[in-house]
Structure formats: structure tokens, C-alpha cells
Amino acid sequence: MTDPWITGCNKKNMPKTELALVTENKKEKMQMKQEISLLNGISLIVGNMIGSGIFVSPKGVLMYSTSYGLSLLLWALGGIFSLFGALCYAELGTSIVKSGASYAYILEAFGGFIAFIRLWSSLLIIEPTTQAVIAITFANYIVQPIFPFCEPPYGAVRLIAAACICSLTFINCVNVKWGTRVQDLFTYAKVMALIMVIAVGLYKISQGETENLKDPFEGSTTDAGFIALALYSALFSYSGWDTLNFVTEEMKNPERNLPLSIAISMPVVTIIYLLTNVAYYVVLDMPALLASDAVAVTFGNEALSHAKWIIPIAVAMSCYGGLNSSIIAASRLFYVGAREGHLPESLSLIHIKRFTPVPALIFNGLMTLIYLLVEDVFLLINYYCFSYWFFVGLSIAGLIYLRYTQPARQRPIKLSLFFPVVYCFCTVFLIIIPLYSDTINSLIGIGIAVSGIPAYFLGVYLPVEKRPRYLQWLFATITKYIQMLFRCCQEDLDLETETSEAKAK
């Protein structure tokens, strides 16, 4: 990044105590540490994929497929398709060992402009909206038992959601290990809750209660449009398989642990989804399923008797764990974007003792808190379906492109081109669906992405001397005070470069 943006990061501007700490830590590289193990990686992927959706609203697939048999087939198909994408990301993540997932891969394959638009879409709509919705869902399930017969107070829900966001932001600022331990704990809790649901379903089947599963394909829709929408719903439930690619640089032995985490997580989640839906179908008939706003709670009321209180707690814990993994991923995205010069340099600073991206985490938390103020925040999700699938598909298209433009690149994992080609072909279909079924919201999402063009022109494309001086001064001042307030500095790479320049003089 250019000098006016980083004056606050120079060692000469550091307070002496902080400079002493940096010097003391010189033996230990001033970089985020590789502290994410194989088990942590599996927890991150499983924890982000299994959000509140499988507990609250898995009925989208059933609603469009109109039969149990076809819906289960589409759930399995969604798992296989997501596995294709995850395998492609295993190759990308081991050949481009950078955090940032699709942003980093698009940057490597197609350059800065498209990567910036992807980052801009995430910053303005995708990440803060997703996190705000998860936090509100968490708060609703915490407050609901207190108000069993009426809507919980709007203010109470938003305050609890804000507390949830702030607590997880603080945990991840303090220590990467704290964040991964929270993730491990809540992933185990939600998986155990789903295993309990599955066990009840299998017990019912063993007792011969299979009336709902007789003629499972009876009434299946033959409308291609409805089948497409059902598959789309299933695929959205599998989103999150790219979570680990956002933190590749912090993994222990990423060449081994990244693909292994993906290979273990994807089948586990697919099997859990299939068996959980079978359990729902055994206990609840189709009208009850389609009428329920919280399928797992309805299931608990029918099948768990005095233990039905477990389900709301499991949903809340699932939301908390899912939000934690989303915060970890989003903060690394903003951190890498700033490091590449696409966001203000202050977001690329790390704490001088804890080696966590504190400014990026706090920025992500503030953006999410702002979106909590939007009353209809759930509607904002509709704006980014098009953008989400477009950029995921584009990053995997980058795999094919790099095969031909950089054939000599080291690739610890090298897939058959069958996988990325099939995935890209299917992604075209996933991009067309929201344009066809939700045209207005999709166009708004495209408009949000395109609004990044002026920002790219002013902050990245223009030479330094032609950029607005007040912006340069503003970002340099912010960087300086963020460094002092949060005790942060740039990565070791920048410090070493500065030392080399000083010696050369």
C-alpha cells in the first residue's frame, strides 16, 4: 500500500513501549500464528454448514419437491454437488496458500478489479447481513421461552443479538485458540443434538412407524422449475463448506489438513442432513412439516416429551457456533483485502502480542451491529443470492483458467477437470434461478456490487498523487490511532522490508 495510507504503521511512529514489544517479539515472527489444527478445521466447516437452517426451516426442499422420496434424493444431490465445489477449493487452497477463499483465488486468476467487487459485495451485504440474521435467530430462541404466547420484544431481541456479536468479537480478538475452542464446543453440541433427533427417528422406524415413508415418491413434482427451486434450497443449506479456505494461512500443515478437513466434513454433514430429514419425515406428516416455522421444535413437541426443551437450546447453540465461524471467516477476508491494498491499511494490522487481526474483527463487528438496526434485515438476504453463487462459480472457473495460464504452478492436489467443469456448468443454473424467480432483488444485489466501481477507481486504480488528499489524510490518521489504541502493527514482512530499506540507506 502507498505511504500516505500507512504512516501510522511505521516503527518511528510507534510509542516506545510498543516498539519494545515488537522488538522483543522479533524472534517470534510478527504474523498470525498457525494454530488451527485438523480437528479445529473440521469443526469450522461442520459448524458453519450446520447452522440454524436444518433445525428451523428444512422444509423448502420438501415444499417444491412435494414428496419425501424426491426431497431426500435432492438433499443427497446437493451434498454431492457441494462436495465437488469443496474438492475444487481443496486444490485452490493448497496451490494458492492464502487466506481469503474466493477473494484470494479470483485475485490470483482474474486480477484486482473483479476481486475488489467480490470484496465490496461481502463488505456491504453478504457478511454483515448473514451475521445479523444468525444473531437475531439466536436471540429469538433465547427470549422465546420467556414469552411463550406472544412475540418477544423487538428491543430485547436486538440487544441480545448485539451482545452475542460483541462477545464473539471479543473472544476472537483475545486469542485465536479461544475462538477455535468455542467453535469446537458448539459444533459438538449441535451435532449431538442432531444425533439425538436421528436416534429418535431410527427408533420410530425400528418400532414399525413408517406410515409416512410408504410410497415415498408418490406425488413427486415433474415440473423442472420446482425441482430446480428445491435443489437450490438444498444447496443453500450446504453453504459454508469454504469456511476453512478463509483461514488457510493460520492452519497447521495446510497442504495436508485443508483437504483432509474437507474430505471428512462433507460426507459427515451430508449424512447428518439426510438422516435428520428422515427422522422429521417419520415423526411428522407433510402438512405438519410445511405448516411449521420451526420444524425441530415441532418434532421435539411430538417425539421428545419432557426433553423437548433441548431443541430450542440446541438451535441457540447452533446459531452461536455458526456466528463464531462466520466472524472468523469474515474478519480474515477483510484482513487479506486490506493487506492487498483493497481496503484501508488499518484493517491489515495485527495485535503485537496476541497476533489476532483486532481491527478487522472490530470492523466486522461494527458492520454487523449497524445491520441490526435495519428492521427488515431478513429481506436483505434476498439481495445476495446472485452475487454469492456468481463469485463462488468464478473462483472455481479460476482453477480451470490457472491450469492453462500457470501449468507449472505447484499443486499438491490436482483434480480431474471434470469436477470444476461440472461445478461451473451447474453454477450457471444457480445464477439464472434467482434472476428468474426473484428478478428485482437480484438486480438490487447486482447494483450493490456495481456500486464498488467508483470506490475501486478512487482508492485503488488512481495513482497515489491523484487520489483525494483528504481521503489519504483521513485513512493515515485512522491507521495511526487504531495502531495506538489497539496496540497493533503490520505483519513481519512489512517490518523486515522497512529494516532492509534502512540498512540500504
Side-chain angles (χ1 to χ4, degrees):
M1 187 49 107
T2 55
D3 288 339
W5 291 57
I6 61 170
T7 50
C9 297
N10 293 331
K11 288 167 76 175
K12 65 184 179 182
N13 293 319
M14 286 184 181
K16 289 184 178 179
T17 53
E18 295 188 9
L19 182 56
L21 279 170
V22 173
T23 307
E24 184 183 330
N25 285 332
K26 193 65 181 173
K27 294 175 185 176
E28 194 176 7
K29 276 197 171 183
M30 187 56 63
Q31 292 177 344
M32 288 196 288
K33 303 305 172 188
Q34 292 182 313
E35 295 185 318
I36 297 175
S37 65
L38 174 62
L39 187 60
N40 297 149
I42 294 168
S43 292
L44 277 168
I45 297 174
V46 173
N48 204 4
M49 289 180 71
I50 303 177
S52 61
I54 191 66
F55 291 99
V56 180
S57 56
K59 62 185 182 182
V61 183
L62 182 62
M63 182 170 63
Y64 291 113
S65 62
T66 67
S67 78
Y68 289 148
L70 182 58
S71 69
L72 289 173
L73 187 63
L74 291 172
W75 276 106
L77 208 59
I80 293 168
F81 177 73
S82 300
L83 178 62
F84 275 35
L87 290 173
C88 293
Y89 264 45
E91 175 176 329
L92 285 166
T94 52
S95 58
I96 304 170
V97 189
K98 286 184 179 179
S99 298
S102 60
Y103 166 76
Y105 310 145
I106 291 170
L107 180 65
E108 186 75 20
F110 302 116
F113 174 68
I114 300 176
F116 179 87
I117 297 301
R118 187 263 181 267
L119 181 64
W120 184 260
S121 299
S122 290
L123 187 152
L124 277 191
I125 192 75
I126 296 176
E127 300 299 343
T129 300
T130 303
Q131 291 172 33
V133 166
I134 296 171
I136 291 168
T137 305
F138 166 83
N140 273 318
Y141 275 86
I142 291 293
V143 175
Q144 191 65 56
I146 306 171
F147 301 92
F149 305 112
C150 61
E151 282 289 315
Y154 176 87
V157 169
R158 297 299 164 122
L159 283 173
I160 291 172
C164 174
I165 292 161
C166 291
S167 65
L168 285 172
T169 300
F170 172 76
I171 287 168
N172 283 284
C173 283
V174 171
N175 198 309
V176 172
K177 275 292 182 187
W178 284 21
T180 56
R181 283 170 186 159
V182 166
Q183 191 61 44
D184 292 347
L185 175 64
F186 283 89
T187 299
Y188 300 153
K190 73 174 77 176
V191 170
M192 290 303 295
L194 288 174
I195 288 173
M196 183 187 68
V197 170
I198 291 166
V200 170
L202 294 177
Y203 174 76
K204 295 280 187 183
I205 291 173
S206 70
Q207 296 297 305
E209 297 182 31
T210 57
E211 292 83 3
N212 293 343
L213 298 181
K214 289 178 181 176
D215 300 320
F217 288 92
E218 185 181 357
S220 297
T221 184
T222 54
D223 187 299
F226 281 167
I227 292 173
L229 288 169
L231 181 58
Y232 191 81
S233 296
L235 287 172
F236 218 82
S237 296
Y238 282 102
S239 61
W241 46 260
D242 58 346
T243 303
L244 202 55
N245 294 73
F246 283 94
V247 294
T248 307
E249 295 171 27
E250 295 172 72
M251 288 198 72
K252 297 174 181 176
N253 191 6
E255 288 82 4
R256 171 187 177 271
N257 288 341
L258 176 64
L260 200 52
S261 297
I262 289 170
I264 293 170
S265 302
M266 294 305 298
V268 166
V269 173
T270 303
I271 291 167
I272 286 175
Y273 276 4
L274 285 170
L275 292 178
T276 301
N277 277 287
V278 169
Y280 290 156
Y281 298 163
V282 167
V283 172
L284 303 172
D285 58 22
M286 194 174 295
L289 268 165
L290 296 178
S292 174
D293 290 325
V295 174
V297 174
T298 306
F299 173 92
N301 292 338
E302 283 286 327
L304 296 180
S305 184
H306 298 298
K308 62 186 179 182
W309 56 269
I310 294 174
I311 297 297
I313 292 174
V315 176
M317 294 182 78
S318 182
C319 291
Y320 199 76
L323 181 59
N324 183 63
S325 60
S326 184
I327 286 172
I328 291 172
S331 62
R332 272 52 175 188
L333 174 62
F334 300 146
Y335 164 80
V336 173
R339 191 177 64 188
E340 297 292 342
H342 286 167
L343 290 176
E345 194 75 16
S346 56
L347 298 182
S348 70
L349 305 180
I350 60 174
H351 195 277
I352 59 177
K353 288 185 72 177
R354 303 185 184 281
F355 305 104
T356 54
V358 174
L361 281 159
I362 291 174
F363 173 76
N364 175 73
L366 289 174
M367 286 294 294
T368 308
L369 290 174
I370 289 169
Y371 276 69
L372 282 182
L373 301 175
V374 180
E375 189 168 350
D376 294 327
V377 67
F378 285 83
L379 296 178
L380 298 180
I381 292 177
N382 299 325
Y383 298 158
Y384 72 71
C385 293
F386 173 89
S387 298
Y388 174 82
W389 289 113
F390 175 77
F391 288 117
V392 169
L394 189 63
S395 63
I396 291 179
L399 185 154
I400 302 170
Y401 179 76
L402 290 172
R403 285 282 189 93
Y404 290 101
T405 57
Q406 299 180 20
R409 176 185 280 273
Q410 185 179 358
R411 293 177 172 86
I413 292 176
K414 191 171 183 180
L415 295 174
S416 163
L417 282 177
F418 169 80
F419 292 98
V421 168
V422 168
Y423 194 91
C424 288
F425 178 78
C426 293
T427 303
V428 173
F429 144 79
L430 293 172
I431 292 168
I432 291 171
I433 285 179
L435 276 175
Y436 170 76
S437 63
D438 198 8
T439 307
I440 299 299
N441 285 329
S442 296
L443 290 176
I444 292 171
I446 293 170
I448 290 169
V450 170
S451 71
I453 294 175
Y456 177 81
F457 180 77
L458 285 173
V460 181
Y461 180 78
L462 279 180
V464 180
E465 59 274 10
K466 293 186 178 179
R467 293 177 192 169
R469 288 189 177 275
Y470 71 91
L471 281 181
Q472 296 183 45
W473 172 85
L474 176 64
F475 286 118
T477 304
I478 289 172
T479 300
K480 178 179 178 180
Y481 285 103
I482 282 178
Q483 180 194 10
M484 292 190 291
L485 181 62
F486 298 116
R487 306 179 75 196
C488 296
C489 71
Q490 288 182 317
E491 282 188 298
D492 202 36
L493 175 64
D494 299 299
L495 295 173
E496 285 174 359
T497 303
E498 186 179 65
T499 304
S500 300
E501 290 173 354
K503 286 180 179 178
K505 288 180 182 178

